[in-house]
Amino acid sequence: MADRKTVTRQTFIGEKGIALIERRCLEMGHLFHPRRVDHGIDGHIDLVEPDSRAVLNLTLLVQSKAQDRRFSGETDDAFHYVCDQRDLDHWLSGNSPVILVFSHPESDEAWWTEVKAAFPDAVSRAKRVVHIDKHTQRFDRDAAQALLHLAVPRTAGLYLRPAPITEVLTTNLLPVTEMPPTVHLAPAAFTDYRAAGAALDAQGRRASGWILRDGLVLSFHSLRDSPLRVLCAGDPERHGTVEWADSDDLDTQHRFADLLSRTVQSSYPDLRWHKVRKHVHFRATSHLGPRKVGKGPGSRGRTVFGPHASKSDPQRVGFYHHAALRTRFRRLGGVWYCQLEPDYCFTTDGHTEHPYADRLLAGIKRLDRHPAVRGWTRVWANYLNQDADLFTEPRPVQFGELATMTVDRGIDDRCWGPAPSSTAPDDDQDPSTGEQESLDTVLAAADTDTQDLLSLLQDGDSDGDAGAPRRRSLTTNKARSAGRRTSRQRGTNNARRGQ
């Protein structure tokens, strides 16, 4: 005989449990309505006034727990039940009371409890255990009045939070996947970087990727047979990198983070260290023309260096912009990460800092919003973890992809809509707020305007990936604040109204 579909024993038990609840509710004088789709709630009870039999428009939500075997710790007097964390969060999130009905349908027995009463504080919620007294919590006609007292007042609407959804958060942490196996150190012959650099220059050879710390010179490169030997006042030593990378000593961690930072800075010839700003930025091109990185199939890349015309004289270059990056190496959960914080640099000729660099930076930070920070973070992540080619030496420190994490909380984007018109600024209104006047004053002094700075933020690929999994960005530093939209920005900001 051909195989046929079967019904599980638990299905019958569950259906008998629902039927028992419906029968007991009728005995109490209330109406039970089962749900065909169960997302942690099996049905609801419409409460009925006992004397007039008027339907009160008051509702209780019900979750059934039916078993043909004994509950945990069950005796003739009591038992307990451990709730699932996601179910418990769901039941407690709304304003409508939720009751749990435990039953043995075969013996026609049922008991109940109200969830918020069973979990009145954080301690009980952390334990997730319901304790049932089989004598005082029977679910029968004697429970009718108690159910009436639980009902939501007429002034409060029925609300139960939708079932939780998961999301993937993208951080600004770039994991270190490979580093040299050995750390070299020796007593230092110099106490400051200027004198040490002069000693290296005197040899006619430059060397990078080293630090001076606590009277020592440290590097991933050999100190014995390299230009760095001139920096040593004694015999070099070798230590396993793991010994430093896994150390719990904070001073050792700080030394190692500093060494990683210096080594990475020297591994990318296209980047230049800004001593005052404490960031690296892309060097100017030889012809002072625009430079893009990240170009490839389906990608236009991003302009990481380029000229900007003067507002008063379009034939003259007002300033050059350089994409910049602040980094910080951190060990989290036993893994070393490079924390990325995009920044900007402004020069007059590709080398000399612009006299109004602070004003330009202040202006762009007022316009910088989350999509721009997210986009530039990904640009820098892709640049730092790019593979070496025939013209590039393998880098001593290598990176993976931006770290992500999956969380069991999220936002259903379909529930979001445009902001109410009453909260949006009038695009046709002449901007006259003190904040906008201040921004205009800042940019006017630098001979530029809002539109020119916006081009830095909106350059390159759109960050939205159609059909890609739901992802959000999570940065370890607070996102930059956004400035108020003006009528001059209207054309470029229409696509960003929902932010």
Side-chain angles (χ1 to χ4, degrees), residues 336-378:
W336 280 94
Y337 294 92
C338 181
Q339 177 181 309
L340 309 180
E341 183 184 350
D343 201 1
Y344 305 90
C345 185
F346 302 95
T347 61
T348 57
D349 56 5
H351 303 278
T352 306
E353 187 169 69
H354 197 281
Y356 292 110
D358 287 334
R359 290 178 174 267
L360 290 167
L361 190 59
I364 201 168
K365 284 187 175 181
R366 295 192 187 187
L367 300 170
D368 209 353
R369 300 199 180 189
H370 179 69
V373 177
R374 176 178 56 190
W376 278 112
T377 299
R378 288 183 173 173

Side-chain angles (χ1 to χ4, degrees), residues 66-87:
Q67 292 188 181
D68 62 346
R69 61 185 184 279
R70 299 173 74 85
F71 290 100
S72 298
E74 184 171 356
T75 65
D76 291 340
D77 301 312
F79 63 85
H80 64 267
Y81 181 86
V82 180
C83 299
D84 179 82
Q85 183 65 61
R86 288 168 61 89
D87 283 340

Side-chain angles (χ1 to χ4, degrees), residues 255-312:
R255 289 183 185 179
F256 191 72
D258 194 10
L259 180 58
L260 284 173
S261 181
R262 291 273 183 161
T263 302
V264 169
Q265 291 169 18
S266 65
S267 300
Y268 298 83
D270 294 327
L271 301 182
R272 174 189 178 196
W273 171 250
H274 196 301
K275 184 177 181 180
V276 176
R277 301 285 181 182
K278 304 297 183 184
H279 68 211
V280 291
H281 61 257
F282 278 93
R283 297 179 183 273
T285 57
S286 58
H287 52 83
L288 295 182
R291 178 186 179 184
K292 288 196 172 188
V293 301
K295 292 188 291 186
S299 174
R300 294 177 294 150
R302 290 259 185 160
T303 304
V304 295
F305 170 78
H308 293 257
S310 166
K311 179 182 177 182
S312 59

